[in-house]
């Protein structure tokens, strides 16, 4: 369950970053992200999808983990991990 | 006051970091290690193997042992093992004297336990700075308050980073360091606010004693008495006789056996998770109105106070128990629980550990950025600059070195050496002091960074080697019982060694590159 929450957060941040012009340039260094960018509609819609995915991740954590307080801690921890992963991935694209 | 609000915030952020950075790093680093306090203690005590017995069997054995050896005691306590600690013990009190016995997986009492401070050393250092009674907790509290301020002022200082939405620029090391500092800051904002705020709240009454002293008769104690519920005191008059006991079999010894089977059955219907009991206390042993308090494990609550049920010891009848805690007490307990993270399962614990390490990196990079910028501008007093630059080495690399040395000291000091626990602590502080001396003796701080990281890396590999050579039997036994807690320390040290070696190598390369650049630029200067 937590893995799924983490994946949703990861995709959410990816969408948020791809909705920004600055990161679209970096994404050009990745074949995969170039393909993703082709599929994605306009930036505001991508941004909306990003936020929706983050909200979905929190709903999933809160409904599927029995104890709400522990669910919140889990969500916050995986949020940081997802953000770090996406930031490091985009930074690695700057190198290439 | 600076010209603009932002400039004032930058100034405050910078100097809070420079003045308290070393202290904050020490508190954060040891606090991060404290997420694994019971695991570290277990690793440092070879006799603490995993315990695979069922809770029912352990409770039965504990009561039978207490019955045999502590029949005349006034109070019994049974602490059941968690996978993390593997500590199964019984304790009894006769008058003011307390005695404790621990058991192993074969239900035998352990005779000699390794004398060590274990993981508690890091935990206690984290909030007392080894200065308990000398203001250590006040210093830690001030540091926590400063950290909170540094976080909020940091948001103003690095606001461009929010605009750029987390970009690390890996081409230039100085820019990368600033970006990483900001990224680590953002990632750890909720974590840092949580740990600093909860840390302050734990000792809130101690930090602000005037309200408690003005409004309560016995100050802090008076507040605690008012907000923490307790049971009414026991009036012990009538001793238990055979017919009072609901046990099917009459007790064979003079002290009656508590009706724990009946109580455990009741508990199993209420607490559904496996190994739900953490601790059992029997008050007024041998008396008719004796009571048994059963405490739940903390796996199901963020609070540091788990549920407690109270029963009549010899009839198994449920008693009224504790009142609900007041809201302030609950808030304090939740913050305390969040700070300690006893509820955290394995994965979450590692995530929190990772956030702690990021917090350490945040503080360390902050101090490094200050030195780099001051060097560039050449405005800083050279003595202050050298002091901070070399102090950074001792505070960061030195603390890592000292911590690894603590583990090695535990492994190599003989079991029968008197005062070995203190020797471990002495090793920690001696190595830390030597690292400071080394850093100040080196002309270039970069060389000191490289050498200390390389040494720390080497010591990590030495720890693995010591474990493989001297504790082979323990490893074999742990593999047999699938003792993942103990076994995970070996790859953890190995991985730490590799990371530190990588850091040392990177710094070494930078030194070489800088030397090449310096050689190439010098002749051209003369030519001019």
């Amino acid at each position: 369950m937590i893995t799924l929450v983490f994946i949703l957060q990861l995709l959410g941040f990816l969408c948020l970053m791809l909705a920004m012009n600055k990161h679209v340039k970096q994404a050009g260094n990745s074949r995969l992200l170039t393909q993703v960018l082709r599929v994605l509609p306009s930036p505001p819609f991508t941004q909306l999808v990003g936020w929706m995915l983050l909200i979905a991740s929190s709903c999933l954590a809160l409904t599927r983990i029995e104890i709400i307080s522990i669910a919140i801690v889990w969500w916050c921890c995986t949020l940081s991990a997802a953000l770090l992963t996406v930031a490091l991935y985009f930074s690695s694209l700057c190198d290439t | 006051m600076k010209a603009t609000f932002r400039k004032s915030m930058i100034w405050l952020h910078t100097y809070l970091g420079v003045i308290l950075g070393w202290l904050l790093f020490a508190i954060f680093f040891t606090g991060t290690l404290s997420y694994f306090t019971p695991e570290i203690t277990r690793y440092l005590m070879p006799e603490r193997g995993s315990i695979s017995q069922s809770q029912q069997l352990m409770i039965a054995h504990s009561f039978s042992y207490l019955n045999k050896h502590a029949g005349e005691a006034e109070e019994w306590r049974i602490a059941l093992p968690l996978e993390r600690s593997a500590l199964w013990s019984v304790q009894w009190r006769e008058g003011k004297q307390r005695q404790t016995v621990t058991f192993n997986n074969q239900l035998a009492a352990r005779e000699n336990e390794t004398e060590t401070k274990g993981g508690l050393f890091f935990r206690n250092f984290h909030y007392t700075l080894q200065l308990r009674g000398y203001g250590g907790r006040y210093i830690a509290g001030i540091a926590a308050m400063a950290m909170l301020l540094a976080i909020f002022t940091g948001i103003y200082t690095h606001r461009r980073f929010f605009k750029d939405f987390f970009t690390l620029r890996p081409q230039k090391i100085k820019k990368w360091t600033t970006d990483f500092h900001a990224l680590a800051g953002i990632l750890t904002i909720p974590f840092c606010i949580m740990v600093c705020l909860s840390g302050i709240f734990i000792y809130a009454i101690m930090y602000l004693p005037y309200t408690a002293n003005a409004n309560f008769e016995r100050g802090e104690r008076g507040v605690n008495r008012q907000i923490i519920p307790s049971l009414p005191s026991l009036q012990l008059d009538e001793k238990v006789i055979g017919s009072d006991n609901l046990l099917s079999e009459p007790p064979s010894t003079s002290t009656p056996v508590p009706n724990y089977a009946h109580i455990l059955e009741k508990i199993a219907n209420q607490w559904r998770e496996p190994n739900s009991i953490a601790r059992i206390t029997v008050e007024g042993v041998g008396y008719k109105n004796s009571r048994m308090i059963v405490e739940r494990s903390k796996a199901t609550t963020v609070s540091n106070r788990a549920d407690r049920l109270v029963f009549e010891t010899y009839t198994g009848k449920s008693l009224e128990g504790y009142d609900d805690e007041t809201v302030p007490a609950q808030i304090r307990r939740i913050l305390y629980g969040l700070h300690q993270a006893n509820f955290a399962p394995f994965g979450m614990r590692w995530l929190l550990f990772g956030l702690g390490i990021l917090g350490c990196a945040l503080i360390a990079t902050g101090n490094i950025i200050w030195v780099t910028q001051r060097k560039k501008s050449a405005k800083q007093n050279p003595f202050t600059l050298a002091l901070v630059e070399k102090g950074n080495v001792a505070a960061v690399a030195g603390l890592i070195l000292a911590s690894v040395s603590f583990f090695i000291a535990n492994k190599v000091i003989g079991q029968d050496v008197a005062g070995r626990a203190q020797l471990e602590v002495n090793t920690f502080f001696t190595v830390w002091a030597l690292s400071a001396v080394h850093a100040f003796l080196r002309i270039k701080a970069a060389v000191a960074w490289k050498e200390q990281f390389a040494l720390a890396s080497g010591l990590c590999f030495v720890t693995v080697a010591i474990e493989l050579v001297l504790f082979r039997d323990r490893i074999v036994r742990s593999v047999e019982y699938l003792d993942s807690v103990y076994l995970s320390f070996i790859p953890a040290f190995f991985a730490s060694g590799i990371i530190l070696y990588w850091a040392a190598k990177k710094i070494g390369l930078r030194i070489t590159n800088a030397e090449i650049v310096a050689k190439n630029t010098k002749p051209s200067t003369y030519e001019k």
Side-chain angles (χ1 to χ4, degrees):
Chain A
M1 187 51 54
I2 290 304
T3 317
L4 194 58
V5 170
F6 176 69
I7 291 169
L8 285 177
Q9 289 170 335
L10 213 59
L11 292 174
F13 280 123
L14 195 69
C15 285
L16 286 176
M17 288 187 105
L18 289 176
M20 296 173 80
N21 281 335
K22 188 181 176 73
H23 296 298
V24 169
K25 282 181 199 165
Q26 282 167 279
N29 288 330
S30 157
R31 264 189 210 170
L32 181 75
L33 287 185
T34 321
Q35 297 291 329
V36 173
L37 276 169
R38 271 186 207 155
V39 180
L40 285 174
S42 59
F45 186 78
T46 311
Q47 205 168 14
L48 184 73
V49 172
W51 285 115
M52 295 286 277
L53 282 166
L54 289 181
I55 293 167
S57 73
S58 68
C59 292
L60 188 71
L62 290 172
T63 51
R64 288 306 180 97
I65 298 169
E66 221 173 291
I67 301 151
I68 289 179
S69 47
I70 292 180
I72 295 168
V73 181
W74 259 122
W75 189 79
C76 289
C77 287
T78 48
L79 190 79
S80 297
L83 190 50
L84 178 68
T85 312
V86 174
L88 289 179
Y89 177 56
F90 271 82
S91 305
S92 72
L93 293 179
C94 286
D95 260 343
T96 50
Chain B
M1 196 70 184
K2 299 281 166 184
T4 61
F5 181 68
R6 185 166 178 251
K7 277 186 178 168
S8 299
M9 291 297 106
I10 293 173
W11 180 87
L12 190 58
H13 181 75
T14 307
Y15 285 97
L16 275 175
V18 172
I19 295 166
L20 290 168
W22 301 340
L23 176 65
L24 280 170
F25 184 86
I27 293 173
F28 256 72
F29 185 75
T30 47
T32 303
L33 290 180
S34 305
Y35 277 126
F36 292 106
T37 298
E39 286 88 349
I40 292 174
T41 306
R42 202 174 144 187
Y43 171 70
L44 296 177
M45 297 177 86
E47 65 278 7
R48 287 256 179 104
S50 64
I51 293 177
S52 54
Q53 306 293 349
S54 72
Q55 277 210 333
Q56 285 225 328
L57 181 79
M58 284 188 281
I59 292 169
H61 182 74
S62 303
F63 275 124
S64 117
Y65 186 91
L66 285 165
N67 214 47
K68 200 169 164 191
H69 295 89
E72 295 303 311
E74 291 146 34
E75 189 186 288
W76 290 346
R77 267 187 202 174
I78 301 169
L80 293 167
L82 302 167
E83 201 203 341
R84 295 179 59 201
S85 64
L87 174 63
W88 169 22
S89 68
V90 293
Q91 190 185 67
W92 63 92
R93 181 170 62 81
E94 275 182 271
K96 283 185 178 175
Q97 268 201 322
R98 280 189 187 276
Q99 278 204 66
T100 309
V101 170
T102 57
F103 297 105
N104 60 18
N105 197 34
Q106 285 74 42
L107 312 182
R110 284 182 191 137
E111 301 224 324
N112 292 318
E113 288 227 286
T114 305
E115 192 198 330
T116 176
K117 297 262 180 200
L120 277 178
F121 167 69
F122 294 108
R123 208 185 90 167
N124 292 343
F125 181 86
H126 158 68
Y127 70 94
T128 64
L129 307 166
Q130 211 70 358
L131 294 169
R132 191 185 269 275
Y134 298 95
R137 284 177 291 176
Y138 286 101
I139 299 171
I142 291 166
M145 288 175 213
M147 183 72 187
L148 275 179
L149 260 179
I151 293 165
F152 292 119
T153 51
I155 294 170
Y156 280 96
T157 310
H158 300 285
R159 66 178 181 189
R160 255 204 67 193
F161 196 75
F162 283 98
K163 248 187 192 171
D164 291 347
F165 206 77
F166 321 123
T167 315
L168 293 170
R169 289 163 289 182
Q171 295 90 349
K172 287 183 178 171
I173 187 76
K174 281 173 194 166
K175 283 184 178 172
W176 186 89
T177 315
T178 316
D179 289 345
F180 183 78
H181 176 73
L183 176 67
I186 288 163
L187 291 175
T188 56
I189 281 177
F191 173 78
C192 287
I193 293 177
M194 181 274 284
V195 291
C196 294
L197 206 64
S198 55
I200 294 167
F201 259 84
I202 292 171
Y203 288 112
I205 307 172
M206 199 183 91
Y207 296 144
L208 301 165
Y210 303 109
T211 325
N213 290 338
N215 295 294
F216 293 87
E217 208 175 299
R218 288 163 65 212
E220 191 180 339
R221 284 185 179 186
V223 179
N224 286 334
R225 210 180 162 81
Q226 182 119 347
I227 64 171
I228 299 169
S230 57
L231 294 173
S233 56
L234 277 180
Q235 301 300 324
L236 304 171
D237 32 36
E238 238 182 297
K239 284 260 185 186
V240 174
I241 49 168
S243 58
D244 294 324
N245 201 318
L246 284 186
L247 282 174
S248 49
E249 285 172 39
S252 54
T253 53
S254 56
T255 313
V257 181
N259 193 0
Y260 60 83
H262 184 58
I263 293 171
L264 291 185
E265 213 173 281
K266 278 185 175 179
I267 287 171
N269 292 329
Q270 287 196 47
W271 300 341
R272 305 276 174 165
E273 73 274 14
N275 299 330
S276 58
I277 301 170
R279 193 190 301 259
I280 298 173
T281 307
V282 179
E283 291 177 349
V285 178
Y287 285 88
K288 250 187 180 175
N289 55 347
S290 160
R291 66 188 169 208
M292 186 188 288
I293 304 155
V294 184
E295 198 177 319
R296 195 176 188 175
S297 86
K298 287 175 186 158
T300 55
T301 177
V302 170
S303 167
N304 87 326
R305 166 66 74 207
D307 291 345
R308 286 171 295 180
L309 294 174
V310 187
F311 301 91
E312 269 186 13
T313 308
Y314 298 107
T315 62
K317 222 163 59 182
S318 298
L319 292 173
E320 204 175 314
Y322 291 87
D323 290 336
D324 285 339
E325 283 193 321
T326 55
V327 175
Q330 281 181 19
I331 292 172
R332 191 171 153 206
R333 289 223 181 267
I334 286 172
L335 287 171
Y336 206 149
L338 273 172
H339 195 90
Q340 289 182 318
N342 282 325
F343 62 90
F346 183 72
M348 191 197 282
R349 188 164 295 280
W350 273 104
L351 279 174
L352 288 168
F353 180 83
L355 286 170
I357 293 291
L358 262 181
C360 296
L362 166 77
I363 299 162
T365 48
N367 274 21
I368 290 167
I369 290 166
W370 186 86
V371 170
T372 319
Q373 283 180 346
R374 288 303 183 282
K375 262 186 174 174
K376 213 165 93 182
S377 67
K379 279 180 189 168
Q380 194 66 40
N381 176 331
F383 174 74
T384 321
L385 194 63
L387 184 75
V388 177
E389 193 179 18
K390 290 171 179 183
N392 283 346
V393 182
V396 178
L399 184 59
I400 297 171
L401 255 178
S403 302
V404 185
S405 309
F406 178 86
F407 286 98
I408 293 181
N410 171 278
K411 296 287 168 189
V412 295
I413 297 172
Q415 296 285 322
D416 48 351
V417 173
R420 73 188 297 284
Q422 193 52 47
L423 277 175
E424 289 168 12
V425 177
N426 292 349
T427 309
F428 176 90
F429 286 109
T430 310
V431 171
W432 202 359
L434 286 175
S435 100
V437 172
H438 169 260
F440 283 99
L441 284 179
R442 283 278 171 262
I443 296 166
K444 283 185 178 175
V447 178
W449 276 113
K450 186 189 116 181
E451 287 174 353
Q452 293 204 13
F453 274 150
L455 184 61
S457 159
L459 288 182
C460 284
F461 294 129
V462 167
T463 316
V464 175
I466 290 173
E467 205 65 46
L468 293 175
V469 175
L470 297 181
F471 297 89
R472 212 179 300 160
D473 292 347
R474 191 182 179 191
I475 294 172
V476 172
R477 222 171 36 238
S478 303
V479 172
E480 199 181 317
Y481 285 104
L482 293 173
D483 183 354
S484 58
V485 171
Y486 166 71
L487 289 173
S488 57
F489 272 88
I490 299 168
F493 271 112
F494 194 75
S496 307
I498 290 173
I499 293 167
L500 289 164
Y501 173 74
W502 173 82
K505 205 177 165 192
K506 277 268 173 194
I507 297 166
L509 273 175
R510 274 181 59 77
I511 296 170
T512 318
N513 288 343
E515 279 169 358
I516 292 168
V517 171
K519 267 183 194 169
N520 291 341
T521 49
K522 264 183 191 170
S524 60
T525 327
Y526 290 126
E527 277 163 24
K528 276 178 191 174

